[in-house]
Amino acid sequence: LKRLNSLRRLLGVLGDRGDRKNGLSVMASNEDDNNTTNEDDQPFTPWAVSVASGHTLLRSPQHNKGLAFTEKERDAHYLRGLLPPAVFTQELQEKRTLHLLRQYEVPLHKYIAMMDLQETNEKLFYKLLIYNVEELLPIVYTPTVGEACQKYGSIYRRPQGLYISLKDKGKILEVLKNWPEKNIQVIVVTDGERILGLGDLGCQGMGIPVGKLSLYTALGGVRPSACLPVTIDVGTKNETLLNDEFYIGLKQKRATGEEYKEFLEEFMTAVKKNYGEKVLIQFEDFANHNAFDLLTKYRTSHLVFNDDIQGTACVVLGGLLSALKLIGGTLSDHTFLFLGAGEAGTGIAELISLEIFKKTKLTVEESRQKIWLVDSKGLVVSSRKDSLQQHKKPWAHDHEPVSGLLEAVKAIKPTILIGTSGVGKQFTKEVIETMASINAKPLIMALSNPTSQSECTAEEAYTWSQGRAIFASGSPFDPVIYEGKEFVTGQSNNAYIFPGFGLGLIMSGAIRVHDEFLLAAAEALASQVTEEDYAEGIIYPSFKNIRKISATIAAKVASRAYEYGLASHLPRPSNLVKFAENCMYSPTYRNYR
Ligand SMILES: NC(=O)C1=CN([C@@H]2O[C@H](COP(=O)(O)OP(=O)(O)OC[C@H]3O[C@@H](n4cnc5c(N)ncnc54)[C@H](OP(=O)(O)O)[C@@H]3O)[C@@H](O)[C@H]2O)C=CC1
Ligand SMILES: CC(=O)C(=O)O
Ligand SMILES: [Mg+2]
């Protein structure tokens, strides 16, 4: 009877709504019961019926403007008294927040502050990120996001993204329907097994899809409400996490084999059913024993993109095409040696050989002969072929076995050395000195993330090559002074690619990804490097111009999609760059009536 009375009172409050001239936010709750008896052990219904004004408006990250609500808006939306009297412009808010962020000395604290901002005032978060991208990218993205994932359980405040765990088997479609936004254009999904070069972080990998999607918006202009971060939790093999009382994921051994495949199949089917044919699914930081299979299996039935295999290939090929201006020759004149023969390494190798095949008279097989890879067992050579994973086989060339990287550098004499091992400090003094003894301008790319896993630092690359190296890294390094000269380094990270690439797919309504799109994206990136960049010895354009770069990449990708009959948004816009720019999300506040 008491509960019935509560309900009556609640309905009475709701009935009052029309009488309340102000249309105030109405929060009705049976917590308001004037009961004297303790109901703590009674089942409770968390009623919340609201319109976005007053307190509710301030609590809505999409609509909140904080101190930037004007006097008129404060009157019209029942905010009087809920905010201090000062009215700030968005620019002043940006300045204030930046000032605050700079007071934190620990990058992880800045990360937490940025995530809080994203959860309270989305437009201010994106304004800050877009206009201060070089300063804040290392916070919301690599390297800090790596540390955030490692400590995700203990810094956890509010859930971000959608968690799909083995507990949801048979109900994934229902779980997708719980997500509040219906019009999803991009999903970034991980299963947490290979988070950067930090290994299996299980459910705590969620930081990666969240971070990648914030870049989709900030760098590529995709609406935040169209982005869905997903973590698939099938357990973890990380014993530390399994024994951690603050671990937020399933405490069980990672599922493998058929159980894993069936769960992923259910996810892929549910996604297509819920969001349609044109939702982009970006696979991120899966271990390579699943990543290649998932890409192969779903590339013909879904719009899928593996960032670690394909996005990384684009950013590196773009950097190589641009580097030719500094190191000379054509791509096919060079010899490439990789440390690491996994997703990134073989993905890049495949795209380089495709580009050489397209631009020369060489066959794909001949172009592959210019590329060598070293894995944890040494140089990938034909005598090892039978025991090699499928993705390594095309790179198993005839050569006697070579055990380590230094020996491989001496034997192969590469002009370009690329680190994709996920293991730090592998480009030793001897390795770089040997590269410098073979090449006037050795091109050295240390791509592993985060900074702790980088194959070498910028300082090591410049010092050990006596200032002759052309250097780029996956995570950013500060400029280095060597013998009185300043060396600015480039960041070779797929963040240059996926936001623009995804935008190109979305704006053209592409239904599948074709390898030609990857070549187009790489060439578009290379075309954005300026003479000033080359004068500084860098092979990537500045992140400051990333939205323009993303628009150029999007336009080229879309253009190929139309050319290959894979675009569904018709008619084709005549100026694709302009169209891409016009599609981009703006972080500027809107006026409320
Ligand atoms: N800059 C960027 O944009 C990107 C950077 N990355 C980074 O690249 C790294 C690798 O990623 P990914 O390719 O997906 O990982 P994978 O696990 O697929 O591949 C790692 C490769 O490195 C090899 N390896 C591991 N340890 C050693 C060692 N000590 N000596 C030689 N080889 C070794 C492995 O050998 P084996 O096969 O024998 O086990 C494997 O071939 C990560 O740190 C990741 O953060 C990834 C994507 C993009
Ligand atoms: C950059 C990226 O995707 C990685 O390190 O995995
Ligand atoms: Mg990745």
Side-chain angles (χ1 to χ4, degrees):
L1 185 64
K2 246 186 288 162
R3 288 193 9 235
L4 190 64
N5 283 337
S6 289
L7 187 61
R8 278 210 192 101
R9 236 173 299 137
L10 172 68
L11 291 173
V13 174
L14 295 181
D16 281 350
R17 249 172 88 186
D19 302 336
R20 300 177 75 166
K21 279 185 274 156
N22 56 21
L24 266 181
S25 153
V26 179
M27 296 286 289
S29 151
N30 52 357
E31 257 177 323
D32 297 339
D33 275 358
N34 208 6
N35 263 319
T36 47
T37 54
N38 185 354
E39 288 191 336
D40 281 357
D41 50 355
Q42 296 291 316
F44 170 85
T45 307
W47 292 100
V49 181
S50 59
V51 291
S53 66
H55 204 258
T56 311
L57 183 55
L58 295 181
R59 295 281 178 283
S60 159
Q62 292 79 20
H63 302 114
N64 182 25
K65 301 202 254 183
L67 288 179
F69 281 110
T70 62
E71 300 287 0
K72 209 168 140 227
E73 286 169 336
R74 291 176 192 212
D75 282 333
H77 297 279
Y78 309 99
L79 297 169
R80 286 273 164 221
L82 302 184
L83 288 165
V87 177
F88 282 12
T89 60
Q90 196 178 11
E91 287 63 38
L92 188 58
Q93 286 183 306
E94 183 192 337
K95 185 175 169 189
R96 194 189 79 90
T97 315
L98 203 57
H99 177 72
L100 194 70
L101 279 173
R102 286 176 182 160
Q103 318 260 311
Y104 293 116
E105 281 174 13
V106 179
L108 187 64
H109 295 164
K110 296 187 193 204
Y111 175 88
I112 294 170
M114 282 299 279
M115 290 305 106
D116 279 348
L117 184 61
Q118 190 175 20
E119 293 293 307
T120 49
N121 185 336
E122 193 174 84
K123 290 233 169 186
L124 186 57
F125 168 83
Y126 282 113
K127 178 113 179 163
L128 210 62
L129 189 50
I130 292 167
Y131 290 98
N132 305 279
V133 67
E134 286 177 311
E135 181 173 346
L136 295 179
L137 205 56
I139 303 300
V140 301
Y141 192 53
T142 183
T144 312
V145 72
E147 188 186 354
C149 289
Q150 288 175 308
K151 299 178 179 161
Y152 217 69
S154 35
I155 65 170
Y156 176 85
R157 295 182 181 207
R158 298 177 207 89
Q160 289 179 295
L162 193 68
Y163 291 90
I164 300 179
S165 84
L166 278 179
K167 285 189 198 168
D168 307 313
K169 194 167 167 25
K171 292 181 288 195
I172 295 183
L173 186 59
E174 286 170 46
V175 176
L176 288 178
K177 287 187 190 298
N178 287 342
W179 187 251
E181 302 291 345
K182 302 299 162 212
N183 198 357
I184 298 298
Q185 293 176 317
V186 194
I187 294 174
V188 175
V189 57
T190 188
D191 72 355
E193 193 171 1
R194 196 286 277 140
I195 294 298
L196 308 177
L198 302 170
D200 185 347
L201 297 185
C203 192
Q204 302 196 162
M206 180 58 102
I208 296 295
V210 167
K212 291 269 176 185
L213 282 165
S214 67
L215 303 196
Y216 257 102
T217 300
L219 315 189
V222 178
R223 277 181 298 116
S225 59
C227 297
L228 172 58
V230 174
T231 293
I232 296 202
D233 186 352
V234 293
T236 175
K237 52 183 190 293
N238 184 325
E239 288 296 331
T240 312
L241 291 180
L242 289 173
N243 293 317
D244 178 355
E245 63 174 327
F246 296 136
Y247 181 52
I248 56 170
L250 279 188
K251 286 202 171 187
Q252 67 177 66
K253 290 273 170 226
R254 187 172 274 282
T256 57
E258 279 312 305
E259 186 183 12
Y260 178 89
K261 279 190 199 145
E262 277 170 23
F263 198 59
L264 266 289
E265 172 67 16
E266 186 188 340
F267 170 71
M268 295 302 287
T269 309
V271 163
K272 199 158 148 179
K273 194 160 181 187
N274 208 35
Y275 303 116
E277 187 85 18
K278 284 183 269 180
V279 62
L280 168 62
I281 304 169
Q282 173 166 318
F283 293 119
E284 192 71 52
D285 290 9
F286 284 73
N288 65 41
H289 54 92
N290 291 317
F292 288 103
D293 290 351
L294 288 170
L295 184 59
T296 308
K297 179 166 179 193
Y298 292 107
R299 68 186 305 169
T300 51
S301 59
H302 290 66
L303 183 67
V304 290
F305 172 71
N306 184 302
D307 191 33
D308 301 299
I309 301 172
Q310 298 171 302
T312 315
C314 291
V315 75
V316 173
L317 179 59
L320 294 174
L321 294 173
S322 123
L324 295 176
K325 292 238 169 77
L326 296 175
I327 60 175
T330 64
L331 214 50
S332 61
D333 295 328
H334 287 275
T335 305
F336 305 83
L337 181 66
F338 287 78
L339 182 74
E343 292 167 68
T346 62
I348 301 163
E350 204 59 72
L351 202 65
I352 295 173
S353 68
L354 184 62
E355 174 78 4
I356 295 177
F357 164 70
K358 293 258 165 184
K359 296 284 156 71
T360 65
K361 293 201 169 86
L362 298 180
T363 63
V364 171
E365 190 42 49
E366 284 163 343
S367 61
R368 283 182 175 151
Q369 295 294 326
K370 298 176 179 300
I371 303 172
W372 296 82
L373 294 100
V374 172
D375 66 8
S376 64
K377 299 190 178 63
L379 193 64
V380 174
V381 289
S382 49
S383 54
R384 294 178 52 197
K385 208 159 187 168
D386 290 346
S387 62
L388 288 174
Q389 286 169 281
Q390 201 56 36
H391 58 270
K392 294 181 189 169
K393 289 192 185 206
W395 314 101
H397 309 316
D398 290 338
H399 197 286
E400 65 201 34
V402 176
S403 59
L405 178 64
L406 181 60
E407 296 69 31
V409 172
K410 287 178 179 164
I412 303 298
K413 298 190 175 39
T415 53
I416 295 169
L417 178 65
I418 302 177
T420 54
S421 63
V423 186
K425 303 269 166 232
Q426 298 297 303
F427 293 173
T428 58
K429 188 163 186 270
E430 290 76 12
V431 166
I432 292 186
E433 281 177 351
T434 310
M435 282 298 291
S437 72
I438 301 166
N439 302 287
K441 286 185 178 174
L443 175 51
I444 301 195
M445 294 178 138
L447 299 185
S448 293
N449 296 316
T451 315
S452 58
Q453 312 309 107
S454 187
E455 282 80 4
C456 68
T457 65
E459 187 168 14
E460 289 165 346
Y462 294 122
T463 309
W464 293 337
S465 67
Q466 291 131 6
R468 284 188 284 124
I470 309 293
F471 179 74
S473 53
S475 297
F477 282 103
D478 287 337
V480 172
I481 308 284
Y482 174 75
E483 295 196 339
K485 189 176 167 210
E486 186 182 67
F487 291 83
V488 181
T489 71
Q491 190 177 351
S492 184
N493 193 295
N494 50 32
Y496 273 112
I497 296 294
F498 66 80
F501 194 90
L503 180 65
L505 298 174
I506 293 168
M507 73 190 213
S508 61
I511 47 162
R512 298 288 177 268
V513 170
H514 192 288
D515 282 349
E516 280 291 333
F517 302 1
L518 305 178
L519 294 175
E523 286 161 15
L525 175 62
S527 76
Q528 297 301 295
V529 188
T530 63
E531 288 306 324
E532 292 81 66
D533 296 325
Y534 290 128
E536 288 195 349
I538 47 180
I539 56 174
Y540 287 101
S542 164
F543 263 115
K544 260 190 282 191
N545 302 324
I546 187 65
R547 278 202 158 199
K548 179 176 164 274
I549 298 164
S550 295
T552 309
I553 293 173
K556 291 283 183 217
V557 168
S559 170
R560 290 281 160 101
Y562 284 105
E563 226 174 279
Y564 279 75
L566 290 167
S568 66
H569 284 174
L570 298 169
R572 177 193 191 280
S574 54
N575 185 333
L576 286 168
V577 176
K578 273 238 142 47
F579 186 69
E581 283 168 349
N582 290 341
C583 287
M584 286 187 175
Y585 164 84
S586 159
T588 306
Y589 292 139
R590 299 187 61 180
N591 294 325
Y592 295 160
R593 19 179 115 80

